[in-house]
Amino acid sequence: MGESKSEAFPLEGVDLDHPNVARVYDYYLGGNANYAVDRVFGEKALERYPFVRPAALANRLFLYRVVRYLVKRGIRQFVDIGSGVPTMGSTHQVADEVAPDSHVVYIDNEAVAVAHSRILLEQQEVTDRHAVLQADLRDPDELWEQIAASGVIDPDQPVALLLIAVLHVTQPGADGTDCGPEVVARYRELLNSGSYLVISHGTDDDVPESRVREMADFGRMYDYSATPVLWRSHEEIDALFGDLPLVEPGTTWTPLWHPEESDDNAPVIDFDEPNDSVVWAGVAYKP
């Protein structure tokens, strides 16, 4: 399997006894910000469920198209919560290609993801416009204060809040149950006028019956990881946007959201049907 760059700098507080969803996702996408425990898990998952890698790639390409779309509509500030590790490019790189005055704050609670992101920004010498915070998305008010204190984001100006493939990672509240929907509701309140909310989320709704079974088994694999996952229905994902109006075409499968925003060099993913992507996504606007 070989050694990844992550092994080159062991970090305090990193759980190496269990695979982590951010690092495994990095492995699915061909990155090197992962450990042996993540690669063993990822290899086993891909052997059993080969749909996972193209689904992960389609989700990443959705992020790229969203950033380009929003930059064209005047957005220059991005808050990427649960940003993971900088595999296949990252939010600030896509934004900077079309708007060099863009500002991005990455947030993750995983030490490896944060460390790799900071190294990337320092190497590119862009820390005047982009920052990385290690924080917990379950505390929106504290996180929003940290974002404002970073000096990178002007809280009085519109932002794009990105929640890309993070809400299907279980967010246990004080009672142990998932608190994702109530947390997102608070983020909707914190967004100021002119902002956008972007969500992508794994789902076993309206997928082939064989895929439903695969996703159930795949999800159970994560029950033994440090980051269990859950799949929501289309209706439950749509509800995360509250009463914010959705950008056309509304919520849909990731490959169907504004494909015209694809980069000329973007890889082509040959799904038999769009629902093979197993990720439901959308963008909403706060008037």
Side-chain angles (χ1 to χ4, degrees):
M1 287 184 293
E3 183 180 85
S4 79
K5 290 184 180 179
S6 293
E7 273 91 354
F9 55 96
L11 297 168
E12 183 179 352
V14 175
D15 180 359
L16 297 184
D17 295 324
H18 302 90
N20 175 275
V21 67
R23 302 191 312 253
V24 173
Y25 183 70
D26 170 74
Y27 174 78
Y28 293 153
L29 293 173
N32 53 33
N34 48 72
Y35 290 86
V37 66
D38 308 305
R39 296 191 291 277
V40 169
F41 181 97
E43 287 171 4
K44 188 179 298 184
L46 292 175
E47 181 180 350
R48 295 179 183 176
Y49 316 111
F51 74 90
V52 170
R53 178 161 277 160
L57 178 57
N59 180 71
R60 194 72 171 185
L61 297 177
F62 164 73
L63 166 64
Y64 295 171
R65 297 197 304 276
V66 164
V67 171
R68 294 190 192 97
Y69 178 94
L70 294 180
V71 164
K72 291 177 180 178
R73 279 144 189 84
I75 293 295
R76 293 296 182 271
Q77 301 192 126
F78 295 85
V79 174
D80 191 344
I81 299 180
S83 52
V85 291
T87 292
M88 289 179 55
S90 48
T91 300
H92 80 276
Q93 292 172 316
V94 178
D96 284 352
E97 286 178 3
V98 284
D101 57 339
S102 297
H103 294 247
V104 177
V105 172
Y106 295 104
I107 297 104
D108 208 287
N109 65 352
E110 211 285 318
V112 173
V114 171
H116 273 263
S117 298
R118 284 178 175 159
I119 290 170
L120 177 69
L121 297 183
E122 290 168 0
Q123 288 177 339
Q124 296 178 355
E125 300 181 347
V126 291
T127 52
D128 58 326
R129 291 186 296 109
H130 309 306
V132 185
L133 303 176
Q134 186 166 3
D136 193 326
L137 72 82
R138 293 172 295 181
D139 191 348
D141 291 277
E142 170 63 23
L143 190 150
W144 221 246
E145 289 180 8
Q146 291 185 52
I147 291 170
S150 72
V152 170
I153 297 291
D154 181 351
D156 295 325
Q157 296 298 317
V159 303
L161 175 60
L162 310 177
L163 294 166
I164 304 294
V166 64
L167 295 172
H168 56 233
V169 179
T170 305
Q171 307 295 329
D175 62 355
T177 61
D178 182 76
C179 64
E182 62 188 75
V183 167
V184 178
R186 179 57 183 150
Y187 282 118
R188 293 197 304 266
E189 294 174 351
L190 290 168
L191 290 174
N192 54 22
S193 178
S195 295
Y196 290 84
L197 174 63
V198 183
I199 296 173
S200 71
H201 195 299
T203 182
D204 58 2
D205 194 4
D206 193 29
V207 301
E209 187 60 36
S210 59
R211 188 57 45 81
V212 173
R213 293 192 296 270
E214 288 180 327
M215 291 191 70
D217 291 342
F218 178 61
R220 280 191 287 270
M221 285 188 68
Y222 278 91
D223 289 342
Y224 302 99
S225 76
T227 44
V229 299
L230 74 166
W231 315 126
R232 288 186 169 91
S233 67
H234 293 179
E235 183 178 0
E236 290 171 320
I237 298 169
D238 292 353
L240 296 172
F241 292 100
D243 60 359
L244 298 182
L246 288 162
V247 171
E248 291 295 333
T251 51
T252 187
W253 301 108
T254 49
L256 299 181
W257 199 91
H258 288 274
E260 76 281 0
E261 295 294 345
S262 297
D263 183 84
D264 291 340
N265 297 318
V268 177
I269 309 172
D270 292 321
F271 291 118
D272 291 336
E273 297 290 342
N275 61 359
D276 281 336
S277 64
V278 303
V279 178
W280 194 245
V283 177
Y285 174 74
K286 186 166 185 179

